[in-house]
């Protein structure tokens, strides 16, 4: 990496997309998940004892067996996570009652206008929201990166006692005590047994949310009404923020950690196991990753509807994750709100993209030199001077080979390294804006703008037509209009993060919308099975 890079070390980690894998002290062993299917006993202590017996038969020592175990799954299903060598894993797999033995794998987290857009108007007398009493006393479990308990979205003013059927607990820790739970956040647990130490540095060792992802998802599902909010108090998307089931109760399960929001299978299974026993009605997981998480089938068998994010790797083909038939898998769509930015070209043509360039001090009435950087990779930029200029990046032929997020970060890193002043970036969807806000305003003072490939083609055509192409980027505005989609809203969704509110995009944000609808349907039809609820939503 160029030692003159303008990025701080933390941003460099994001830009080069480092994948951090678990490193354990004993290189000959690793964490395995031993799944044993339906539990054979109602008493959790008896189930746990059976896990110890199975491990003892392999280790030859009960003491060593007890040391190896990380989690024991004993409420909704039977199994455990333990540190094993490959030969020990093979031996366990041969034991009667063992369904599978698999190495622990890791998942990534995929996050207010959207509820009005879906037709769930808070004051509409005939709406599902009103019939469901706003989700009154339905318990929604959210497995994610934790919760920011002081957010106004989780104020418990006007709530009655915690439902008597609730069996969960409020687990304390750093910056999270018993008063962090209330009549809205009725339970909170945290799981870090399979997370590498390097990902826990700087984290809250408690249910408190560091990244904001879990808080954003939870407030989208069950957040109460909060008036006069906007994206980072900038005035964009100003109005009232609320969740889809604002009177539902929240149970928090923090199984995802670190700046990249990494979640291990072993912790996810422990959270699902506890959630089943605690008494949640709905389980929401805004997580990506491939393969079945076996605990979800047991949750559904006990009447809990499980809602997963479908992943953010599109338009890469065959990239949908969590597509097992017993859960609801959610894709992300846009809503009818946009943030248009006018780009004035030197030939007096005005084109429109989208951005979050709301800070007036970042804008100038002056034109800037425009350069077509094409793919904005090393080859494309090698012979072009882009210092102090606005760069157009467009690679439609390569779009199907990488996700929009990774392609954007790579292009951003390339143009900032060469000290460009601004970026016009083309992709299939010009609506996913939160990446722009996170990095562009810090490193590209003239602005970043997203455009589709048609607009990019027109800009490139102009750039080729003259030796000195220029562009002026205007300040963004907020526009609302009609244009419904079929999938759940997941682009530029405003919800709680810390004590503020900000946009996030992706199936992580679409998943909570469906989770809230499930909570409302559960309130109106408490006897409906997860399959019936899924069928009603598909209609």
């Amino acid at each position: 990496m160029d030692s003159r890079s303008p990025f701080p070390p933390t941003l460099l980690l994001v830009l080069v997309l480092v994948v951090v894998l678990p490193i354990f002290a004993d290189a000959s062993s690793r964490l395995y998940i031993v799944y044993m299917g339906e539990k054979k006993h109602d008493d959790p202590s008896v189930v746990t004892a059976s896990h110890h017996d199975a491990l003892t038969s392999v280790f030859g020592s009960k003491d060593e067996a007890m040391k190896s175990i990380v989690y024991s799954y004993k409420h909704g299903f039977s199994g455990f996570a333990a540190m094993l060598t490959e030969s020990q894993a093979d031996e366990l797999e041969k034991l009667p009652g063992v369904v599978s033995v698999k190495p622990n794998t890791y998942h990534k987290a995929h996050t207010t206008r959207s509820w009005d857009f879906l037709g769930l108007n808070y004051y509409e007398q005939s709406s599902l929201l009103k019939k469901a009493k706003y989700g009154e006393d339905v318990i929604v479990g959210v497995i994610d990166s934790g919760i920011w308990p002081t957010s106004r979205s989780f104020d418990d003013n006007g709530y009655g006692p915690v439902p008597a059927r609730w069996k969960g607990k409020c687990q304390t820790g750093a910056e999270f005590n018993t008063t962090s739970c209330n009549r809205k956040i009725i339970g909170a647990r945290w799981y870090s047994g399979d997370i590498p130490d390097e990902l826990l540095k700087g984290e809250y060792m408690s249910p408190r949310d560091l990244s904001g992802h879990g808080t954003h998802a939870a407030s989208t599902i069950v957040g109460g009404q909060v008036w006069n909010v906007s994206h980072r108090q900038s005035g964009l998307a100003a109005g009232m923020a609320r969740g889809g089931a604002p009177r539902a109760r929240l149970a928090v399960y923090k199984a995802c950690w670190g700046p990249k929001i990494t979640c291990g299978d072993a912790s996810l299974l422990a959270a699902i196991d506890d959630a089943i026993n605690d008494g949640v009605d709905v389980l929401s997981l805004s997580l990506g990753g491939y393969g079945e998480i076996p605990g979800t089938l047991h949750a559904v068998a006990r009447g809990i509807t499980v809602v997963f994010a479908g992943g953010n790797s599109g338009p890469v083909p065959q990239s949908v994750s969590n597509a097992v038939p017993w859960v609801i898998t959610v894709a992300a769509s846009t809503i009818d709100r946009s943030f248009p930015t006018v780009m004035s070209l030197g030939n007096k043509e005005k084109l429109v993209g989208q951005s979050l360039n709301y800070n007036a001090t970042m804008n100038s009435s002056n034109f800037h030199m425009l350069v077509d950087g094409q793919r904005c990779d090393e080859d494309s930029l090698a012979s072009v001077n882009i210092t102090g200029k606005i760069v157009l990046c467009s690679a439609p032929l390569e779009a199907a080979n990488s996700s929009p997020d990774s392609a954007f970060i790579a292009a951003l890193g390339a143009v900032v390294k060469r000290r460009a002043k601004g970026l016009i970036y083309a992709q299939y969807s010009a609506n996913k804006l939160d990446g722009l806000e996170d990095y562009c305003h810090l490193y590209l003072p003239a602005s970043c703008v997203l455009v589709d490939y048609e607009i990019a083609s027109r800009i490139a055509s102009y750039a080729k037509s003259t030796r000195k192409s220029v562009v002026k980027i205007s300040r963004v505005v907020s526009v609302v209009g009609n244009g419904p989609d079929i999938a759940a809203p997941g682009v530029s969704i405003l919800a709680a993060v810390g004590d503020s509110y900000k946009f996030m995009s992706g199936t992580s944000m679409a998943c909570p919308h469906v989770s809230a609808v499930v909570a409302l349907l559960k309130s109106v039809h408490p006897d409906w099975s997860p399959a019936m609820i899924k069928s009603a939503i598909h209609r």
Side-chain angles (χ1 to χ4, degrees):
M1 185 64 67
D2 189 340
S3 62
R4 298 168 297 168
S5 171
F7 294 118
T10 51
L11 182 55
L12 283 174
L13 288 177
V14 177
L15 293 177
V16 299
L17 296 176
V18 171
V19 177
V20 182
L21 297 175
I23 300 172
F24 298 107
D26 182 358
S28 65
S29 65
R30 61 185 297 191
L31 190 62
Y32 283 85
I33 295 171
V34 180
Y35 174 56
M36 304 176 76
E38 193 69 35
K39 58 191 178 78
K40 304 293 192 296
H41 305 277
D42 291 331
D43 186 342
S45 64
V46 176
V47 179
T48 300
S50 71
H51 302 159
H52 295 161
D53 291 344
L55 280 167
T56 300
S57 72
V58 170
F59 278 91
S61 159
K62 187 165 185 177
D63 185 52
E64 290 300 311
M66 297 281 283
K67 286 180 182 176
S68 74
I69 200 160
V70 176
Y71 291 116
S72 181
Y73 312 125
K74 53 190 177 293
H75 298 299
F77 51 95
S78 179
F80 54 88
M83 296 295 295
L84 306 167
T85 63
E86 188 174 353
S87 61
Q88 289 168 338
D90 290 341
E91 201 173 334
L92 269 171
E93 200 164 24
K94 297 172 186 174
L95 293 180
V98 173
V99 177
S100 64
V101 179
K102 295 179 180 178
N104 188 41
T105 56
Y106 289 82
H107 301 256
K108 306 298 288 187
H110 283 308
T111 85
T112 295
R113 173 72 194 162
S114 52
W115 293 114
D116 290 337
F117 171 75
L118 287 176
L120 291 175
N121 186 286
Y122 195 87
Y123 302 104
E124 181 85 36
Q125 293 297 314
S126 61
S127 73
L128 171 62
L129 192 63
K130 186 75 172 179
K131 291 176 182 173
K133 298 179 182 176
Y134 306 95
E136 187 81 46
D137 286 348
V138 173
I139 300 171
V140 179
V142 176
I143 300 179
D144 210 294
S145 62
I147 197 73
W148 194 265
T150 57
S151 169
R152 290 177 290 166
S153 289
F154 309 116
D155 191 306
D156 69 349
N157 243 346
Y159 283 79
V162 173
R165 58 194 170 85
W166 177 244
K167 297 192 292 183
K169 68 177 184 177
C170 187
Q171 189 177 358
T172 59
E175 300 292 323
F176 202 98
N177 54 39
T178 52
T179 61
S180 297
C181 292
N182 55 21
R183 291 170 297 178
K184 179 71 172 179
I185 304 173
I186 63 173
R189 298 176 184 265
W190 54 288
Y191 311 82
S192 61
D194 61 342
I195 304 298
D197 288 344
E198 53 265 43
L199 291 185
L200 297 177
K201 289 178 181 175
E203 260 283 7
Y204 296 106
M205 300 308 293
S206 74
R208 196 175 186 92
D209 185 10
L210 176 69
S211 71
H213 190 275
T215 300
H216 195 283
S219 66
T220 302
I221 306 171
V222 303
Q225 291 186 89
V226 182
W227 294 92
N228 301 318
V229 302
S230 62
H231 172 64
R232 291 187 170 172
Q233 307 309 313
S234 66
L236 281 184
M240 183 258 285
R242 67 170 175 87
R247 296 290 297 176
R249 311 295 182 121
L250 174 64
V252 175
Y253 301 87
K254 181 177 178 179
C256 305
W257 300 80
K260 294 189 177 182
I261 321 173
T262 301
C263 329
D265 269 342
S267 287
L268 292 176
L269 282 170
I272 293 168
D273 187 42
D274 281 336
I276 293 171
N277 189 60
D278 289 346
V280 303
D281 300 305
V282 182
L283 204 49
S284 184
L285 301 93
S286 289
L287 312 173
Y290 298 97
E292 172 195 341
I293 298 178
T296 58
L297 180 58
H298 296 277
V300 172
R302 283 161 176 78
I304 301 168
T305 300
V306 179
V307 187
F308 265 105
N312 296 335
S313 297
V316 178
Q318 300 180 19
S319 61
V320 175
S321 60
N322 304 315
V324 292
W326 52 87
V327 306
I328 299 175
T329 306
V330 187
S333 73
T334 60
I335 61 174
D336 64 339
R337 181 177 59 207
S338 60
F339 304 97
T341 297
V342 175
M343 296 166 291
S344 303
L345 304 182
N347 61 1
K348 298 186 178 179
E349 185 176 11
K350 294 184 186 295
L351 301 173
V352 178
Q354 291 202 66
S355 83
L356 294 179
N357 184 25
Y358 55 80
N359 190 338
T361 63
M362 292 161 54
N363 292 280
S364 168
S365 58
N366 298 325
F367 282 85
H368 299 282
M369 293 295 295
L370 170 68
V371 175
D372 183 1
Q374 300 177 35
R375 296 189 304 274
C376 288
D377 57 7
E378 291 294 329
D379 292 338
S380 302
L381 298 177
S383 59
V384 182
N385 178 14
I386 65 172
T387 301
K389 301 173 183 177
I390 292 179
V391 185
L392 171 67
C393 296
S394 179
L397 297 180
E398 289 82 5
N401 300 320
S402 62
S403 70
D405 284 347
S406 60
F408 171 73
I409 289 173
L412 176 64
V415 300
V416 172
K417 182 180 177 182
R418 291 166 175 81
R419 289 170 170 69
K421 194 173 185 68
L423 170 65
I424 300 173
Y425 184 79
Q427 59 185 33
Y428 283 113
S429 169
N431 296 290
K432 189 177 181 300
L433 303 171
D434 40 300
L436 300 186
E437 221 282 336
D438 288 341
Y439 305 118
C440 282
H441 76 288
L442 293 175
Y443 300 103
L444 296 177
S447 178
C448 290
V449 182
L450 286 186
V451 297
D452 60 27
Y453 288 114
E454 181 183 351
I455 296 294
S457 177
R458 291 169 67 178
I459 297 172
S461 178
Y462 158 69
K464 290 174 185 173
S465 71
T466 177
R467 288 194 309 111
K468 291 187 177 180
S469 53
V470 293
V471 63
K472 179 173 68 175
I473 297 174
S474 301
R475 191 166 183 252
V476 67
V477 296
S478 181
V479 174
V480 172
N482 292 322
D485 291 298
I486 295 174
V491 176
S492 296
I493 301 302
L494 185 72
V497 173
D499 288 323
S500 186
Y501 292 78
K502 67 175 285 189
F503 293 127
M504 288 189 182
S505 299
T507 53
S508 282
M509 284 66 243
C511 175
H513 283 82
V514 174
S515 299
V517 172
V518 169
L520 296 177
L521 288 171
K522 190 76 175 178
S523 180
V524 176
H525 303 285
D527 56 332
W528 278 13
S529 69
M532 294 167 75
I533 290 174
K534 182 176 181 178
S535 176
I537 290 174
H538 280 179
R539 268 188 265 147

